[in-house]
Amino acid sequence: QTVVTQEPSLTVSPGGTVTLTCASSAGAVTSDSNPNWFQQKPGQPPRALIYSTSNKHSWTPARFSGSLLGGKAGLTLSGVQPEDEAEYYCLLYCGGAQHWVFGGGTKLTVL
Amino acid sequence: QVQLQESGPGLVKPSETLSLNCAVSGYSISSGYYWGWIRQPPGKGLEWIGTIHHSGSTYYNPSLKSRLTISVDTSKNQFSLRLSSVTAADTALYYCVRLFDYWGQGALVTVSS
């Protein structure tokens, strides 16, 4: 089964910029992988941020953006705020029959 | 505003069947979209369980497929999850979702005798 890999943890300063990545053991991540990104804070359900690589939901702050970079999916936070400290998960569509796989998550610390 | 609410027993015995319902409000399931279940063991990451279309077409995680049934009842505007032969490894917070924008608050299911 496909394994989706994210950085376990990253640290960023307030106001800084950070990029989280999402790689697939099946090969390069493309738009066909339909990358989704989610933010989860303790005690809360995940909140959808990005779908179809780079599309934002109506509630997604402008400082979040999604992209493809070097065979991976990426989530960039520009002008990081203290409230962005959270766990971030990517989700990729893998193979046929509507099969989805989550990454292991990236714990983002704002310090 | 689309809202989803999970319901079902919070405690299931090993080898028995876990059953959860997801009631949807603010949107008619029969209008479209895919709907699904995702789980999160305590302190761990997210796992996609399976997906159902309003037409009834289903797509399951291969690792759970042999034990899993997801169904939809458009007349009640809800969909359901049944996972048979559960073990302690199935203990998790179970979320129902409208792929993948709207999420329920989650239902904690513990497998224990």
Side-chain angles (χ1 to χ4, degrees):
Chain A
Q1 186 165 339
T2 300
V3 176
V4 176
T5 302
Q6 300 180 242
E7 298 88 357
S9 63
L10 291 170
T11 300
V12 62
S13 300
T17 297
V18 63
T19 297
L20 289 63
T21 68
C22 176
S24 172
S25 65
V29 176
T30 69
S31 58
D32 289 341
S33 306
N34 200 354
N36 283 251
W37 290 92
F38 304 89
Q39 176 192 66
Q40 187 178 32
K41 296 182 178 180
Q44 297 181 17
R47 180 175 72 142
L49 293 174
I50 301 288
Y51 65 97
S52 300
T53 305
S54 58
N55 294 284
K56 300 179 186 181
H57 294 281
S58 58
W59 52 78
T60 303
R63 62 184 180 274
F64 291 86
S65 62
S67 63
L68 294 175
L69 27 89
K72 299 180 182 181
L75 175 70
T76 299
L77 289 70
S78 303
V80 172
Q81 302 296 307
E83 60 265 29
D84 296 332
E85 184 164 292
E87 192 86 22
Y88 290 84
Y89 293 94
C90 70
L91 174 67
L92 300 180
Y93 174 75
C94 300
Q98 287 276 328
H99 179 58
W100 296 88
V101 181
F102 279 98
T106 296
K107 181 174 175 56
L108 182 67
T109 300
V110 181
L111 201 57
Chain B
Q1 173 76 347
V2 181
Q3 292 185 315
L4 299 94
Q5 180 66 59
E6 305 88 351
S7 62
L11 181 64
V12 181
K13 290 183 169 55
S15 79
E16 295 190 345
T17 296
L18 181 162
S19 296
L20 292 172
N21 286 327
C22 180
V24 179
S25 58
Y27 189 86
S28 172
I29 288 178
S30 57
S31 294
Y33 276 94
Y34 288 86
W35 307 82
W37 292 93
I38 290 161
R39 70 181 182 179
Q40 185 171 35
K44 296 188 178 180
L46 301 169
E47 179 182 31
W48 173 73
I49 297 172
T51 295
I52 189 165
H53 189 251
H54 69 89
S55 64
S57 300
T58 52
Y59 310 90
Y60 295 155
N61 186 319
S63 67
L64 300 171
K65 188 174 183 177
S66 63
R67 302 190 288 130
L68 182 61
T69 302
I70 296 176
S71 59
V72 64
D73 187 338
T74 54
S75 67
K76 295 182 179 179
N77 214 39
Q78 67 181 31
F79 59 103
S80 302
L81 164 74
R82 286 175 57 86
L83 184 66
S84 64
S85 304
V86 297
T87 69
D90 295 309
T91 293
L93 193 54
Y94 285 76
Y95 295 103
C96 61
V97 303
R98 189 181 83 167
L99 264 63
F100 286 100
D101 50 7
Y102 291 97
W103 293 59
Q105 287 298 305
L108 178 62
V109 179
T110 301
V111 178
S112 175
S113 55

